[in-house]
Amino acid sequence: MRRKLVIGNWKMNGNRAANSALLSGVVAGLNADGAARADCAVCVPAPYLAQCQAELQGTAVAWGGQDLSVHASGAYTGEVAASMLVDFASRYVLCGHSERRAYHNESSELVAQKALAALAAGLTPVICVGETLEQREAGTTESVICGQLQAALDVIPAAELTKVVLAYEPVWAIGTGKTATPQIAQDAHRFLRARLEQKNPEAAAGVQILYGGSMKPENAKELMAQPDIDGGLIGGAALKAADFLGIIHAV
Ligand code: PEP
């Protein structure tokens, strides 16, 4: 039985005061029921990792980064190494969010290398895949997400698959208010799990596949009731404690 996992992606939002209010609201509202049903984490801008460590240590909320470098250290101005995320006790790191793919030209091969760097440092990579509206309308959803996933499967050893989280995030649903129907999402998740099965059948059954794209308290329950949807990667709704908690409690 896979545990549900709900991760908030703050994107480039926040400041120390607002973060504190948000984190204390989430911790206070994450009652025993919520914590028992789902694992919970926030992926924050790198400058706020220290704040997360200070304010979340000992709570049921884990934290992590939104991106990492493939390099261990050195002359890579502006980049954040996996070891730096680990230095602040991060557990997760997003790899290949669609905004990184679109605005920073991250290829699936680079994303795969980032996932490897995360694994090597003991972090859990959350590998994001998803099709654009044009790709869905052209009927290429499966080949697009298959290609994005395959690049990672090509380099991640089969035995390491259990340490990976996948996120299916249709680009047309991110930040748009248009959520994939539970059936559309389930079909994509089932398809992704079948690809994982080809690499490592036993591990595939245990890999958490999160749905991301305008998930809110009102639609979370139906989405997460699908057999292959193991939680959510939440953008906008993760910035309000009540909405984030509403999603966790919908599990
Ligand atoms: C995201 O940024 O990963 C995301 C799913 O955003 P939103 O929930 O705002 O659509």
Side-chain angles (χ1 to χ4, degrees):
M1 181 70 182
R2 293 181 296 273
R3 250 179 93 71
K4 298 281 194 222
L5 170 63
V6 178
I7 300 181
N9 170 19
W10 287 5
K11 311 196 191 208
M12 197 174 71
N13 292 297
N15 57 59
R16 285 187 65 83
N19 300 346
S20 224
L22 175 55
L23 293 176
S24 57
V26 170
V27 169
L30 193 67
N31 58 30
D33 178 56
R37 284 161 186 256
D39 292 329
C40 168
V42 288
C43 286
V44 305
Y48 298 128
L49 288 169
Q51 186 180 13
C52 285
Q53 185 177 23
E55 298 189 19
L56 294 176
Q57 200 110 62
T59 74
V61 183
W63 59 95
Q66 299 176 355
D67 181 40
L68 81 167
S69 175
V70 295
H71 304 289
S73 65
Y76 302 101
T77 302
E79 294 211 38
V80 174
S83 62
M84 297 170 182
L85 298 175
V86 171
D87 225 1
F88 291 97
S90 299
R91 184 179 306 167
Y92 298 97
V93 61
L94 305 183
C95 296
H97 188 279
S98 68
E99 288 150 18
R100 302 278 329 161
R101 291 179 188 263
Y103 307 144
H104 300 271
N105 292 321
E106 291 196 3
S107 67
S108 295
E109 290 68 31
L110 179 72
V111 172
Q113 291 302 322
K114 290 187 173 196
L116 266 190
L119 285 168
L123 293 162
T124 299
V126 181
I127 303 172
C128 304
V129 302
E131 80 287 0
T132 63
L133 185 59
E134 295 74 51
Q135 290 164 334
R136 172 156 287 273
E137 286 175 349
T140 57
T141 296
E142 290 192 349
S143 68
V144 168
I145 62 177
C146 177
Q148 291 170 335
L149 175 60
Q150 193 57 47
L153 295 183
D154 284 346
V155 298
I156 296 173
E160 298 271 281
L161 220 52
T162 48
K163 301 177 186 161
V164 165
V165 171
L166 262 191
Y168 169 62
E169 298 206 299
V171 179
W172 47 270
I174 297 179
T176 59
K178 285 187 208 150
T179 318
T181 63
Q183 194 57 55
I184 286 179
Q186 165 59 23
D187 288 348
H189 283 229
R190 180 64 228 143
F191 173 80
L192 290 168
R193 198 175 307 283
R195 306 303 299 185
L196 295 172
E197 278 160 9
Q198 289 178 3
K199 174 93 181 186
N200 181 340
E202 283 127 54
V207 173
Q208 291 162 311
I209 308 181
L210 313 184
Y211 167 79
S214 299
M215 195 187 263
K216 324 182 246 290
E218 303 84 65
N219 58 30
K221 194 169 185 162
E222 221 191 328
L223 283 160
M224 289 198 276
Q226 302 302 310
D228 287 290
I229 299 185
D230 306 312
L233 181 54
I234 319 299
L239 298 175
K240 286 193 192 138
D243 288 351
F244 195 50
L245 287 165
I247 291 171
I248 296 165
H249 290 133
V251 171

